């Protein structure tokens, strides 16, 4: 309500402007009242706040609790290791947040940096931020509208509103019409009065919507957050149970507290946040090499979970430029050279062929007229010579009400009048009813195919003496006009769009198209790209506004005549159905939907800066095939994170089992908290990074995206439990074989570490056809093994961790025993794959087994 009051107050200010514009005194008062003409932006967060948010992770909180306990018990060595892990994880998270750009930083770059205004009777050029309601501004072709304005005078004005509305074709505007900030004049000139600025403007409203949207947690963040909470509660329960049982059977309470803390540390994969961050960073680096720039790291994985790709049409699925698709003449489909039609397209046209010094020729002007000029010159290279033979002497610029443009030319055979416009505005000039009916049928056929249709007619004008009738008189007298033909224009689909739609379908991703264009145009593009099978069900912006689409959302393939707020509602409807939605777009009007989607993908080349900054992923090359590459990368990362979780949780659960079982078989506390943290750091840290770089499995793209509600551990609990039991059994076996307590602890320590490293090799991704660059995991395991053994060979580390030196013979024996669990896992996994392949072959299915 306050926003409406502010807008109405601004508009009332605009009624008071005089012919000489505002005075300096009026400007000062209005600037004090309304502030600068800037869009809203989110205040930056400080480093302290970012650090506190990182420390809210449940696993980090549990580690901080463990740190407090061991400090209270005086165990400073273990405390130093715990706090080092916390600092490392927090630092990585904060650095990545600081690097992420604010989604509204570039809104000022979109707005016009300068404006031409009339103040105190003088024309002045001033920063657009200094405009106030009531200012008189002048606009020429090529100018960005600096604020919401109402046209006072307009001569042949056409406006490109694609960035705000998604319309691919510029629209005509006349005196009394409003223009929105951020749109661009493509033709004509005008004077206008500013009616809304800043937050109250159309651009400001979109900025406010982006600001209010915030940042949605990604499916990975949701899953890992849920997993973290579950692990914390499970760990606290186990630690409490062990503590109470130990005290109940007469154990020293301090010793049992240390054991409980050790168990808690063992159960938590405390390096998981860092491993996930590094895996995402590596994925972002790989995607950047494929021209996909990641603005928010979790977005990398989100693409792998996408089930719906909601794509803007203009400039995303299509090239964002008009192109003549077909010419039609009364004689039928045109032959190689419909000369009169091509001549008229060149003469009744304001586009110009320019040849800048030292540069290639280019055509400047309105997109539609550029397309007409290109079509004429492509079919007849000499078509431009008509402008030399026929001089334009009078014109009636295109008018949005009349829907036509008329020009009068003087040439070698007299005068020639040409009319170009919508068929319904040109056909009344044709006197032949039968021909008019044929033309109307042809125009209807072309329009139904999704084309924008223009009709072209001309007439020879008799000259009586030195003058000839004015254009208005010629138009009022529909005799002697001859229809030269129809022109069908289209914004063509990108060459890669159909390939992308097919690839998404194979990957189990539903593609829906969202556009501001006419429903028939949208339907034709959807058919051409095979977005849906058969005739797609089309919903309009009006349907979205009344909520009609929500009940039929699963059947809708195309949304047409949509506004920015409609796109947000469309995304929300698919999300309410349980889908993970990726939204692609390039305009300002796409920014709120890009932000509200689970992942926003913006075009980086021709897209607006607002769209790029609101998105999570920017396609620098505007190539939609990069979306498919990004989806494959997202699924690769998700698969690798699952591999790491199977690996890390198997080791952690094995450590818990060792700590819980050891007292019942007569062993003292088998590991200290410091030793557990050292194992976790070297087994999860370096190999964890390597898991993030594991090669992708091509079969991942044939698997449907997992539901966001499905646990990230889905299908892994049984393998984790079996593997943990095998590792724990091997570790306890080498521990019971040792003679002294120190050797027992060190033997268990080494066996647990080596068993997990062997497991990492057993869980590697398929490497068929991969080169040496895919051998990072093997190198990481080697480094980790050296660091593990250094804890028994290097005196300073032995003192820090409380280990002892082991002989070579014992180390070899422990390494052999530690390899047994990994060998068993490898054999079981291979047997399971062979069994599943046999089942698939017998059932005739081609599904890939995870």
């Amino acid at each position: 309500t306050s926003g409406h009051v502010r807008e109405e107050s601004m508009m009332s200010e605009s009624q008071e402007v005089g012919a000489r514009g505002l005075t300096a005194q009026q400007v000062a008062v209005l600037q004090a009242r309304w502030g600068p003409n800037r869009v809203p932006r989110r205040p930056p967060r400080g480093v302290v706040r970012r650090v506190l948010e990182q420390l809210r992770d449940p696993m980090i909180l549990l580690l901080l609790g463990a740190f407090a306990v061991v400090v209270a018990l005086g165990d400073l060595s273990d405390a130093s290791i715990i706090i080092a892990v916390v600092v490392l994880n927090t630092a990585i998270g904060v650095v990545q947040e600081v690097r992420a750009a604010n989604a509204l930083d570039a809104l000022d770059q979109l707005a016009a940096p300068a404006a031409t205004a009339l103040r105190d009777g003088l024309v002045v050029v001033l920063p657009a931020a200094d405009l106030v309601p009531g200012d008189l501004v002048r606009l020429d072709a090529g100018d960005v509208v600096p604020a919401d304005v109402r046209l006072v005078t307009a001569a042949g004005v056409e406006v490109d509103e694609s960035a705000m509305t998604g319309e691919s074709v510029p629209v005509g505007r006349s005196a009394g019409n409003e223009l929105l900030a951020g749109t661009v004049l493509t033709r004509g000139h005008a004077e206008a009065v500013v009616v809304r600025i800043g937050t109250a403007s159309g651009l400001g409203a979109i900025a406010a919507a982006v600001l209010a949207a915030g940042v949605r947690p990604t499916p990975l963040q949701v899953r890992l957050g849920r997993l973290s909470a579950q692990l914390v509660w499970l760990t606290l329960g186990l630690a409490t149970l062990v503590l109470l049982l130990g005290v109940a059977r007469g154990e020293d309470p301090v010793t049992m507290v240390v054991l409980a803390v050790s168990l808690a540390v063992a159960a938590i994969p405390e390096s998981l946040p860092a491993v996930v961050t590094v895996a995402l960073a590596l994925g972002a680096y790989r995607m950047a090499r494929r021209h996909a720039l990641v603005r928010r790291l979790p977005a990398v994985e989100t693409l792998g979970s996408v089930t719906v790709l909601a794509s803007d049409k203009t400039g995303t699925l299509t090239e964002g430029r008009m192109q003549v698709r077909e010419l039609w003449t009364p004689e039928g489909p045109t032959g190689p050279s419909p000369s009169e039609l091509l001549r008229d397209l060149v003469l009744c046209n304001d586009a110009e062929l320019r040849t800048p010094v030292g540069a290639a020729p280019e055509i400047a002007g309105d997109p539609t007229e550029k397309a007409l000029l290109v079509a004429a010159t492509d079919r007849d290279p000499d078509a431009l010579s008509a402008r030399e033979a026929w001089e334009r002497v009078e014109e009636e610029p295109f008018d949005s009400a009349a829907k036509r443009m008329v020009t009068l030319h003087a040439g070698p055979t007299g005068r020639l009048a040409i009319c170009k416009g919508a068929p319904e505005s040109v056909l009344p000039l044709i006197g032949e009813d039968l021909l008019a009916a044929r033309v109307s049928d042809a125009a209807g056929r072309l329009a139904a195919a999704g084309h924008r249709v223009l009709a072209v007619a001309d007439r020879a004008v008799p000259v009586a003496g030195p003058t000839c009738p004015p254009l208005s008189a010629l138009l009022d007298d529909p005799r002697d006009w001859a229809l030269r033909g129809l022109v069908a224009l289209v914004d063509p689909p990108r060459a890669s769009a159909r390939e992308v739609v097919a690839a998404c379908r194979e990957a189990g991703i539903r593609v829906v198209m969202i556009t501001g264009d006419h429903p028939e145009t949208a339907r034709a593009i959807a058919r051409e790209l095979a977005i849906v099978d058969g005739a797609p069900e089309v919903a309009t912006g009006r349907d979205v506004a009344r909520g009609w689409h929500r009940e039929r959302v699963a059947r809708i393939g195309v949304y047409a005549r949509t506004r920015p707020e409609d796109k947000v509602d469309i995304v929300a409807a698919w999300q309410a159905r349980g889908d993970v939605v990726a939204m692609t777009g390039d305009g300002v009007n796409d920014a709120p939907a890009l932000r509200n989607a689970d992942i926003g993908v913006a075009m980086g080349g021709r897209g607006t800066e607002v769209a790029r900054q609101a998105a999570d992923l920017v396609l620098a090359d505007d190539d939609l095939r990069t979306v498919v590459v990004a989806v494959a990368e997202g699924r690769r990362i998700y698969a690798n994170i699952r591999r790491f979780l199977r690996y890390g949780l198997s080791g952690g659960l094995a450590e818990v089992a060792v700590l819980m079982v050891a007292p019942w078989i007569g062993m003292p506390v088998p590991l200290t908290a410091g030793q557990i943290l050292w194992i976790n750091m070297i087994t999860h840290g370096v190999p964890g990074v390597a898991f993030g770089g594991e090669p992708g499995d091509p079969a991942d793209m044939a698997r449907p995206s997992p539901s966001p509600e499905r646990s990230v551990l889905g299908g892994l609990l049984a393998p984790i439990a079996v593997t943990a039991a095998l590792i724990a059994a091997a570790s306890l076996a080498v521990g019971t074989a040792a003679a002294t307590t120190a050797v027992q602890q060190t033997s268990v320590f080494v066996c647990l570490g080596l068993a997990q490293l062997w497991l990492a090799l057993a869980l590697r991704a398929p490497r068929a056809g991969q080169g040496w660059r895919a051998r990072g995991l093997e190198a990481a395991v080697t480094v980790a093994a050296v660091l593990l053994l250094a804890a028994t060979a290097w005196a300073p580390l032995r003192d820090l961790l409380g280990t002892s030196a082991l002989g070579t013979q014992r180390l070899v024996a422990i390494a052999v025993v530690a390899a047994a669990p990994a060998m068993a896992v490898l054999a079981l996994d291979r047997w399971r794959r062979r069994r599943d392949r046999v089942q698939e072959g017998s059932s005739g299915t081609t599904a890939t087994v995870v």
Side-chain angles (χ1 to χ4, degrees):
T1 303
S2 61
H4 289 302
V5 172
R6 176 182 174 87
E7 179 179 328
E8 292 171 2
S9 300
M10 285 188 183
M11 295 186 68
S12 67
E13 300 282 4
S14 69
Q15 308 298 324
E16 303 173 7
V17 62
R20 292 174 53 84
L22 298 176
T23 65
Q25 183 178 4
Q26 288 175 313
V27 169
V29 172
L30 291 170
Q31 285 180 337
R33 181 180 305 172
W34 302 118
N37 178 32
R38 294 195 181 98
V39 295
R41 58 179 59 219
R42 181 180 287 109
R45 291 185 301 166
V47 175
V48 173
R49 182 177 174 186
R50 295 181 189 275
V51 169
L52 292 177
E53 289 182 355
Q54 292 293 322
L55 294 177
R56 289 170 54 190
D57 184 275
M59 291 188 291
I60 299 299
L61 290 175
L62 183 60
L63 284 180
L64 290 175
F67 170 76
V69 171
V70 295
V71 167
L73 296 175
D75 191 351
L76 298 183
S77 60
D78 287 348
S80 62
I81 298 176
I82 293 175
I83 203 63
V85 173
V86 173
V87 170
L88 176 63
N89 291 336
T90 303
I92 292 176
V94 171
V95 167
Q96 294 300 339
E97 276 201 12
V98 170
R99 292 180 59 190
N102 190 292
L104 297 175
D105 283 348
L107 284 169
D108 284 341
Q109 297 179 28
L110 174 75
T116 303
L118 186 67
R119 288 184 176 175
D120 288 318
L122 300 176
V123 177
V124 296
V125 178
L126 46 84
D130 292 345
L131 289 177
V132 295
D135 258 324
L136 275 178
V137 295
R138 291 186 178 179
L139 300 170
D140 293 303
D143 286 348
V144 178
V145 180
D148 286 3
V149 300
R150 184 178 62 253
L151 295 177
V152 178
T153 64
V157 169
E158 284 194 359
V159 185
D160 179 359
E161 298 181 343
S162 62
M164 298 294 289
T165 67
E167 286 279 5
S168 57
V169 179
V171 294
R173 292 290 181 253
S174 55
N177 293 148
E178 286 193 5
L179 306 183
L180 297 178
T183 58
V184 182
L185 258 70
T186 59
R187 175 192 287 173
H189 53 85
E191 289 187 351
V193 59
V194 175
V195 294
R196 291 178 294 273
I197 66 171
T199 308
S201 69
L203 184 61
I206 290 179
V210 175
L211 192 68
V215 178
R216 289 174 57 89
T218 69
L220 178 66
Q221 289 174 315
V222 172
R223 292 176 180 131
L224 292 181
R226 188 185 304 131
L227 175 62
S228 295
Q230 293 169 347
L231 287 175
V232 166
W233 285 111
L234 176 63
T235 299
L236 289 175
L238 288 174
T240 302
L241 178 63
V242 169
L243 174 62
L244 295 177
L245 289 176
V247 172
R249 68 172 184 264
E251 299 286 349
D252 177 48
V254 174
T255 302
M256 293 312 302
V257 168
V258 172
L259 178 62
V261 170
S262 301
L263 187 148
V265 171
I268 292 297
E270 63 280 340
S271 58
L272 177 61
V275 169
V276 171
T277 299
V278 171
L280 294 174
L282 289 173
Y285 171 73
R286 289 190 296 265
M287 292 171 67
R289 296 176 62 185
R290 299 294 296 269
H291 308 292
L293 310 179
V294 177
R295 299 191 64 253
R296 199 162 62 93
L297 279 183
V300 180
E301 181 275 337
T302 308
L303 271 166
S305 303
V306 165
T307 58
V308 172
L309 175 62
S311 178
D312 174 54
K313 179 187 78 70
T314 304
T316 305
L317 290 172
T318 63
E319 296 181 2
R321 62 178 181 86
M322 299 305 295
Q323 182 184 80
V324 173
R325 180 63 64 85
E326 185 176 340
L327 298 179
W328 182 94
T329 65
E331 291 75 26
T334 59
S337 179
S339 56
E340 292 86 358
L341 177 58
L342 298 182
R343 176 199 63 195
D344 291 354
L345 292 179
V346 170
L347 294 177
C348 190
N349 194 316
D350 288 332
E352 296 181 2
L353 180 64
R354 298 175 180 173
T355 308
V357 178
E362 60 182 26
I363 297 178
D366 171 82
T368 298
E369 302 216 321
K370 289 166 61 177
L372 297 177
L373 197 60
V374 168
T377 54
D378 283 349
R379 288 166 172 80
D380 182 3
D382 297 326
L384 280 176
S385 62
R387 290 186 173 181
E388 300 175 2
W390 295 89
E391 179 186 0
R392 184 183 297 186
V393 295
E394 189 179 351
E395 68 177 294
E396 180 184 288
F398 179 83
D399 179 77
S400 58
K403 296 183 179 179
R404 67 190 179 194
M405 173 184 181
V406 189
T407 57
L408 181 65
H409 305 266
T413 60
R415 301 291 176 95
L416 179 68
I418 305 173
C419 180
K420 175 190 72 182
E424 60 268 25
S425 68
V426 176
L427 289 184
L429 300 176
I430 310 302
E432 301 178 41
D433 293 339
L434 183 58
L435 176 60
R438 287 181 55 216
V439 175
S440 180
D441 290 343
R445 173 183 62 81
L446 293 172
H451 298 95
R452 183 190 183 199
V453 183
L454 297 178
V456 182
D458 64 27
R459 64 174 292 182
V461 182
V463 179
T467 63
C468 76
L471 281 178
S472 58
L474 295 174
L475 293 170
D476 290 338
D477 180 10
R479 294 175 301 175
D480 301 326
W481 284 90
L483 182 83
R484 295 306 179 191
L486 301 175
V487 184
L489 299 103
V490 68
D491 180 9
R494 289 179 178 268
S496 59
R498 188 181 181 92
E499 175 187 339
V500 170
V501 171
C504 287
R505 179 174 293 188
E506 291 177 3
I509 300 173
R510 172 79 177 272
V511 178
V512 297
M513 187 173 72
I514 305 176
T515 179
D517 273 348
H518 189 277
E520 290 302 326
T521 302
R523 194 190 303 270
I525 294 293
R527 284 197 298 263
E528 187 169 351
L529 296 179
I531 288 178
V532 293
D533 296 324
E537 187 165 352
V538 179
T540 65
R542 182 177 299 178
D543 298 327
V544 174
R546 62 191 175 129
W548 170 87
H549 71 297
R550 292 174 188 156
E551 297 178 358
R552 307 188 184 186
V553 63
R555 300 198 300 271
I556 297 173
V558 179
Y559 298 86
R561 291 297 190 208
T562 57
R563 301 165 298 172
E565 55 269 30
D566 296 332
K567 297 183 180 184
V568 173
D569 194 23
I570 292 166
V571 169
W574 284 97
Q575 289 171 333
R577 186 173 173 267
D579 287 288
V580 178
V581 181
M583 172 74 192
T584 69
D586 63 350
V588 177
N589 64 306
D590 299 317
L594 290 172
R595 175 53 63 87
N596 280 273
D598 295 288
I599 179 168
V601 183
M603 301 294 110
R606 72 177 306 275
T608 61
E609 188 67 16
V610 175
R612 289 193 289 267
Q613 297 295 331
D616 304 292
L617 185 71
V618 179
L619 304 183
D621 56 1
D622 284 4
D623 190 343
L624 280 177
R625 287 171 296 187
T626 309
V627 172
V628 180
V629 173
V631 169
E633 187 62 47
R635 295 193 177 183
R636 170 187 181 177
I637 289 173
Y638 180 69
N640 286 342
I641 288 175
R642 278 173 55 87
R643 286 190 184 96
F644 171 76
L645 284 173
R646 181 181 177 185
Y647 163 72
L649 292 179
S650 295
L653 187 58
E655 294 164 12
V656 170
V658 167
L659 288 170
M660 294 187 68
V661 172
W664 299 97
I665 60 175
M667 288 179 61
V669 176
L671 294 168
T672 67
Q675 290 171 350
I676 293 171
L677 273 176
W678 185 259
I679 292 174
N680 289 355
M681 283 179 62
I682 64 170
T683 58
H684 295 178
V686 181
V689 173
F691 268 111
E694 282 288 88
D697 186 349
D700 287 340
M701 287 299 285
R703 299 170 182 143
S705 299
S707 167
E709 299 303 318
R710 183 192 182 199
S711 170
V712 72
L713 293 178
L716 295 181
L717 292 179
I720 287 173
V722 171
T723 305
L726 292 174
I727 294 175
S731 301
L732 290 172
V734 299
T736 55
T740 64
T741 300
V743 174
Q744 279 185 340
Q745 275 195 339
T746 305
S747 297
V748 171
F749 167 78
V750 172
C751 188
L752 274 173
L754 289 179
Q756 293 180 55
L757 295 178
W758 283 118
L759 178 63
L761 297 177
L763 298 179
R764 291 176 299 178
R767 277 165 164 69
Q770 301 288 337
W772 65 270
R773 292 180 180 275
R775 302 295 173 180
L777 184 60
E778 289 90 332
V781 167
T782 302
V783 171
V786 170
L787 292 174
L788 178 69
L789 297 178
T792 67
W794 191 34
L797 270 181
R798 289 203 304 266
D799 294 339
L800 176 65
L801 298 175
T803 58
S804 60
L806 298 178
T808 302
Q809 186 176 355
R810 179 174 290 275
L811 284 175
V812 171
I814 291 174
V816 172
V817 173
M823 298 300 292
V825 167
L826 192 61
L828 287 172
D829 283 353
R830 288 181 176 176
W831 172 81
R832 189 183 300 113
R833 293 192 191 99
R834 285 197 299 270
R835 181 200 62 187
D836 291 336
R837 281 197 296 269
V838 170
Q839 291 177 349
E840 289 168 16
S842 61
S843 63
T845 62
T846 57
T848 304
V849 179
V850 179

